[in-house]
Amino acid sequence: MSSIFLSVLIVSSIGAALATLLVFAERYITNYGECEISINEGKKIRLQGGSSLLDALTRQKIFIPSACGGRGSCGYCKLKVVEGAGPVLPTEEPYLSPEERGKGVRLSCQVKIRNDLRIEIPPELLSVSEYECVCTDIQDLTYDIKQFRFGLKEPSRMDFIPGQYVQVLTPVYEDNPEEVYRAYSISSDPSEKEFIELIVRLVPNGICTTYLFGNIQVGDPVRINGPYGQFRLTDTEAPIVFIAGASGMAPIKCMLHHMVKTENKRKATYFFGVNTLKDLFLAEEMKIFESRLPGFRFVPVVASPEEGPGWAGEIGLVTQALERFSTDLVDHEAYLCGSPGMIDASIEVLRKHGIPLEHIFYDKFS
Amino acid sequence: MKRTPELQRLEEILRVSRIVSGGFMGNDPRVLEEILDADAAEVSRHGYTTEQIARRMLELTKRAQAGLGTPVKLDEKREGFVDENRGQLVCPWPHAGRYLKTVTTLRRTDTGEIIRWSDLAVHMIGAHGFFQGRGSAFRLEPGDLVQILFD
Amino acid sequence: MNVTAELWQALVVCFASIFTGNILLTTFLGMCSFLAVSREVKASVGLGLAVVFVMTFTTLLNWVAYWYVLVPLKLEFYRFILFIIIIATFVQFVEMVLERYSPVLYQNLGIFLPLITVNCAILGACLFMVIRSYTFLVTVGYGFGSGVGWMLAIVAMSGIRQKMSVARIPKGLQGPGITLILAGLMALAFLGFTGVLQGK
């Protein structure tokens, strides 16, 4: 009896000794102490080592883009680590070109903070904030496009340049086990800083649009961050041609609001391409813009108008309508928002008629 | 069955994907290797390779893109249109490369069958032999796909 | 036994455990990771190297634990439990050290370590070492040789499977089925080595 007891005791104590050894090993080996991150040779952050650079920066409210949640499978979180990152890991290699590696660019989700670091982040990313909002209005614009208004609660104002976009956070819900961010351009008047409006088109099985279309009601909270993006109007007096279809109208509408508020006298023509008449929306708003901006003209282009009361406007593809107006296009600046296919086709037409590439600005859906 | 950490990670990402709603595996209870093996067998039974299938899909997408969202007649039996949405998708497999959210809808004018695919789905078929799990909204049964594309 | 004779026996046992007594192809231990991981050559090499490392050191540690702890206390029957505890602790420890001091090596090899804690070949080698009453030096040879033998088998299998990807395999045999058939054929081939070395 006592021998059984003794033997159990001995083996248990060996097991316990080994477990204790592991605990101490972990405390000593995996403890990295306090590390300092220096950003753009200016801002300094002190924190406990051990987490990934991406996580650490996100905790500090510096929003480095990421599409895969830090798994190392999207390559969006690249930034330059001047010093302190250690050797490049095999998980990073597929995403870094040789010049990037030479410059010290790394995947911040794979860089573990083990010592002091010096990093460089594009300055625009440093002015991005996270906003707690509440949905204050949802309007159906067509059968698959809705307009959402989000009132900003905390912080309560956003300063943005017309043409910029925000990232909407889709939280965990039944079909979506993890959080995801999706980008949408702001369509509301930039002088109204306490709310933003977005024009969203339902994407088949899209995580965010399914969430926005299905789950969000007026009064629900939403988290967004932004503003992002370099797409904006220039300061010149050159006449403008806008080309955008469906949800691509959002940044254009935002720019038009801004032009009204700043009494911008530039001549502008907006070619809005849709498939059928039932895809047209916000035509009334565009009429209001036409009355407020003497130089503005809205030109909807319908590819296949349905039978019925005749459609007296432009028919066909946007590129075809552009061709018909081509004699007027010289000296114009072009602003495009939409799919890469539409943008590439439009750019071809624009260049054919004398608009150089430096005068063509676009926000590709990419 | 024991698997490498990469394979486990890959299957996790495919199931729980934050890239499309519902993930890429649908409600398929089989493991990834089983799905890949079964689909590979079906493809070779029909006499095609996954690369041929992917090439044909890309060719049809390119031709349909000329419509800028409106339907385009591709041949006597097929018509298609392309919708493009903002954003990029990343392939769950660990390699660089981003795919646009280009969704091609193909309709057979003789049988009325309609299938849809995204650029990413085509890449996964051509490069990884992955047709997605049963129950996924974008799964394309290799047998049906071959019929619709080539017959 | 004097040291030279021991060293010689260690060498013989090492070669024997790679070829004539291959722990995977002769005694069929460590089959599950073998079947699963042998799909890709790169993963097989990584896993194989990790197995060599773990097998060598755990046989040593367990030799010490057996002859200096269990035998004096007359607790030999506890070896199954104790060996597993030591293997698990060792692997955890190595993973931590590797992750801290060599992240690149960790990514290449360290991610396989949890996978091989439960690899029966590791425990099997430790138990064989006890049954055959190997001395310390011979155990070094045996542990290292067994690991190399296992690695040889898995790398050879992954090479064959890659070549097989262009073959038309009947639907029912795809995956594990054909792999087991191949393993059997490889075992038959290794059977040809019997009698080559007069080591145990």
Side-chain angles (χ1 to χ4, degrees):
Chain A
M1 194 57 218
S2 66
S3 64
I4 299 177
F5 177 71
L6 196 65
S7 50
V8 168
L9 188 64
I10 291 176
V11 179
S12 318
S13 25
I14 295 178
L18 289 174
T20 321
L21 169 71
L22 277 182
V23 168
F24 277 113
E26 195 180 355
R27 205 165 293 174
Y28 179 68
I29 295 178
T30 61
N31 175 28
Y32 294 98
E34 216 182 49
C35 305
E36 182 182 272
I37 306 179
S38 152
I39 304 176
N40 293 349
E41 306 296 336
K43 185 165 173 179
K44 287 194 187 349
I45 313 174
R46 295 201 70 89
L47 34 64
Q48 271 293 87
S51 58
S52 72
L53 184 56
L54 178 67
D55 284 343
L57 290 175
T58 308
R59 273 201 300 271
Q60 296 283 324
K61 300 291 182 206
I62 298 176
F63 295 98
I64 309 290
S66 167
C68 65
R71 273 195 263 254
S73 54
C74 71
Y76 278 36
C77 61
K78 291 187 201 176
L79 47 82
K80 193 163 158 190
V81 182
V82 179
E83 187 183 319
V88 177
L89 294 179
T91 42
E92 296 178 68
E93 276 166 17
Y95 300 95
L96 300 173
S97 69
E99 320 100 77
E100 284 177 322
R101 242 178 282 194
K103 284 199 288 213
V105 174
R106 305 290 297 269
L107 289 191
S108 55
C109 62
Q110 300 298 301
V111 172
K112 195 161 175 181
I113 303 177
R114 300 169 201 266
N115 43 20
D116 293 344
L117 295 169
R118 274 173 44 214
I119 63 177
E120 273 175 29
I121 307 180
E124 312 88 70
L125 281 183
L126 291 174
S127 57
V128 165
S129 309
E130 193 170 87
Y131 293 82
E132 301 280 342
C133 312
V134 63
C135 177
T136 54
D137 190 38
I138 305 178
Q139 277 198 41
D140 285 330
L141 298 178
T142 71
Y143 62 93
D144 69 346
I145 300 185
K146 283 194 207 269
Q147 179 175 276
F148 292 85
R149 177 184 286 213
F150 296 127
L152 306 174
K153 288 180 56 203
E154 180 57 48
S156 56
R157 293 162 58 92
M158 185 194 294
D159 284 296
F160 61 92
I161 300 172
Q164 288 195 299
Y165 63 91
V166 293
Q167 303 247 55
V168 176
L169 171 67
T170 309
V172 176
Y173 68 94
E174 63 195 59
D175 272 333
N176 182 40
E178 293 186 54
E179 295 182 344
V180 147
Y181 281 95
R182 286 288 181 261
Y184 300 101
S185 293
I186 308 176
S187 65
S188 51
D189 192 336
S191 62
E192 306 271 9
K193 297 184 200 284
E194 276 111 39
F195 65 85
I196 56 165
E197 279 172 349
L198 309 177
I199 297 178
V200 179
R201 182 166 183 211
L202 182 62
V203 174
N205 293 102
I207 295 183
C208 193
T209 51
T210 313
Y211 167 67
L212 288 174
F213 274 61
N215 296 45
I216 274 277
Q217 322 248 357
V218 173
D220 282 344
V222 176
R223 277 221 318 258
I224 63 171
N225 58 32
Y228 296 91
Q230 306 294 317
F231 181 58
R232 58 198 64 176
L233 282 174
T234 58
D235 268 329
T236 68
E237 297 293 315
I240 298 167
V241 56
F242 291 119
I243 305 173
S247 57
M249 185 196 270
I252 312 294
K253 176 169 172 285
C254 190
M255 290 175 176
L256 288 170
H257 278 296
H258 185 70
M259 286 172 73
V260 167
K261 282 285 157 59
T262 55
E263 295 181 355
N264 193 315
K265 300 275 188 292
R266 289 168 79 172
K267 182 160 169 288
T269 319
Y270 176 14
F271 291 93
F272 179 54
V274 290
N275 270 4
T276 60
L277 286 171
K278 67 181 196 303
D279 292 305
L280 272 179
F281 60 91
L282 288 180
E284 288 305 313
E285 281 263 358
M286 291 293 141
K287 278 220 173 30
I288 298 176
F289 281 122
E290 278 178 334
S291 67
R292 298 243 178 95
L293 287 169
F296 172 63
R297 199 148 64 99
F298 178 58
V299 182
V301 184
V302 183
S304 335
E306 300 90 308
E307 306 293 323
W311 168 247
E314 292 292 325
I315 296 182
L317 300 180
V318 162
T319 40
Q320 294 162 342
L322 261 184
E323 288 275 3
R324 290 193 280 273
F325 280 72
S326 62
T327 46
D328 283 336
L329 285 179
V330 166
D331 294 340
H332 278 57
E333 276 174 2
Y335 295 85
L336 290 67
C337 181
S339 62
M342 187 214 75
I343 290 185
D344 290 336
S346 308
I347 291 181
E348 238 185 84
V349 175
L350 294 168
R351 293 189 69 189
K352 203 161 61 151
H353 294 283
I355 302 186
L357 218 49
E358 311 87 68
H359 291 174
I360 303 178
F361 307 95
Y362 48 86
D363 187 8
K364 261 191 194 179
F365 281 177
S366 54
Chain B
M1 179 134 114
K2 303 271 186 60
R3 321 157 85 184
T4 53
E6 277 114 18
L7 198 53
Q8 258 167 333
R9 218 158 146 247
L10 175 61
E11 179 159 341
E12 245 174 66
I13 294 178
L14 286 172
R15 271 194 201 280
V16 170
S17 178
R18 306 146 124 254
I19 302 178
V20 290
S21 184
F24 293 100
M25 299 283 268
N27 48 21
D28 201 323
R30 300 174 293 171
V31 288
L32 179 63
E33 305 93 287
E34 263 189 74
I35 300 177
L36 290 174
D37 286 338
D39 286 342
E42 222 194 307
V43 166
S44 67
R45 252 207 308 280
H46 283 267
Y48 286 93
T49 65
T50 50
E51 286 90 17
Q52 283 173 320
I53 297 177
R55 248 199 313 256
R56 172 85 170 143
M57 289 163 93
L58 275 180
E59 176 212 325
L60 292 173
T61 296
K62 227 173 143 140
R63 291 187 12 223
Q65 267 175 324
L68 299 186
T70 61
V72 169
K73 182 166 143 86
L74 299 164
D75 57 36
E76 327 80 56
K77 288 191 257 182
R78 283 170 264 264
E79 153 185 292
F81 63 91
V82 173
D83 273 319
E84 293 180 5
N85 297 290
R86 183 196 215 122
Q88 292 171 320
L89 295 175
V90 166
C91 180
W93 267 259
H95 60 79
R98 305 195 189 148
Y99 302 88
L100 298 178
K101 290 189 190 172
T102 306
V103 176
T104 310
T105 308
L106 179 72
R107 194 174 80 88
R108 279 290 289 254
T109 46
D110 50 352
T111 62
E113 288 166 294
I114 297 183
I115 55 171
R116 262 191 341 214
W117 65 75
S118 64
D119 272 5
L120 176 60
V122 174
H123 161 77
M124 292 199 292
I125 291 174
H128 308 297
F130 184 55
F131 290 79
Q132 309 198 28
R134 294 199 189 119
S136 157
F138 277 96
R139 169 159 173 90
L140 296 164
E141 288 294 331
D144 297 338
L145 183 61
V146 163
Q147 257 177 338
I148 296 181
L149 288 178
F150 293 103
D151 286 343
Chain C
M1 214 191 299
N2 65 44
V3 182
T4 354
E6 254 190 69
L7 275 177
W8 181 244
Q9 199 201 4
L11 214 58
V12 168
V13 164
C14 184
F15 275 98
S17 54
I18 299 177
F19 295 109
T20 71
N22 188 304
I23 200 156
L24 197 150
L25 294 173
T26 311
T27 56
F28 280 89
L29 289 177
M31 287 296 280
C32 30
S33 7
F34 171 72
L35 287 180
V37 177
S38 57
R39 267 173 155 255
E40 316 147 14
V41 177
K42 189 161 165 281
S44 303
V45 171
L47 183 58
L49 287 172
V51 165
V52 171
F53 177 74
V54 172
M55 221 184 253
T56 313
F57 285 97
T58 50
T59 43
L60 295 183
L61 286 173
N62 285 330
W63 188 92
V64 171
Y66 186 75
W67 292 104
Y68 289 99
V69 176
L70 290 181
V71 168
L73 295 171
K74 297 216 186 347
L75 295 174
E76 296 92 335
F77 53 90
Y78 261 123
R79 63 182 179 276
F80 294 90
I81 300 178
L82 190 62
F83 284 0
I84 278 287
I85 295 178
I86 290 180
I87 291 170
T89 313
F90 174 73
V91 166
Q92 276 277 72
F93 188 75
V94 168
E95 220 189 313
M96 267 192 265
V97 168
L98 210 56
E99 211 265 320
R100 167 86 191 233
Y101 294 107
S102 176
V104 179
L105 203 56
Y106 177 73
Q107 290 256 347
N108 280 318
L109 294 190
I111 46 179
F112 294 112
L113 287 174
L115 200 64
I116 57 182
T117 314
V118 291
N119 186 334
C120 41
I122 311 283
L123 182 61
C126 298
L127 293 173
F128 276 134
M129 170 267 296
V130 161
I131 293 173
R132 298 171 188 174
S133 305
Y134 285 149
T135 63
F136 187 77
L137 281 178
V138 180
T139 307
V140 174
Y142 179 65
F144 182 73
S146 293
V148 172
W150 198 92
M151 178 172 168
L152 177 68
I154 196 178
V155 172
M157 174 60 86
S158 62
I160 297 175
R161 277 181 91 173
Q162 262 193 347
K163 293 269 189 286
M164 258 185 4
S165 59
V166 292
R168 295 185 69 143
I169 299 167
K171 187 169 178 190
L173 278 183
Q174 276 177 352
I178 196 70
T179 314
L180 279 170
I181 294 180
L182 281 175
L185 290 172
M186 283 170 76
L188 278 176
F190 271 61
L191 208 56
F193 285 117
T194 359
V196 168
L197 289 168
Q198 295 306 320
K200 284 212 182 128

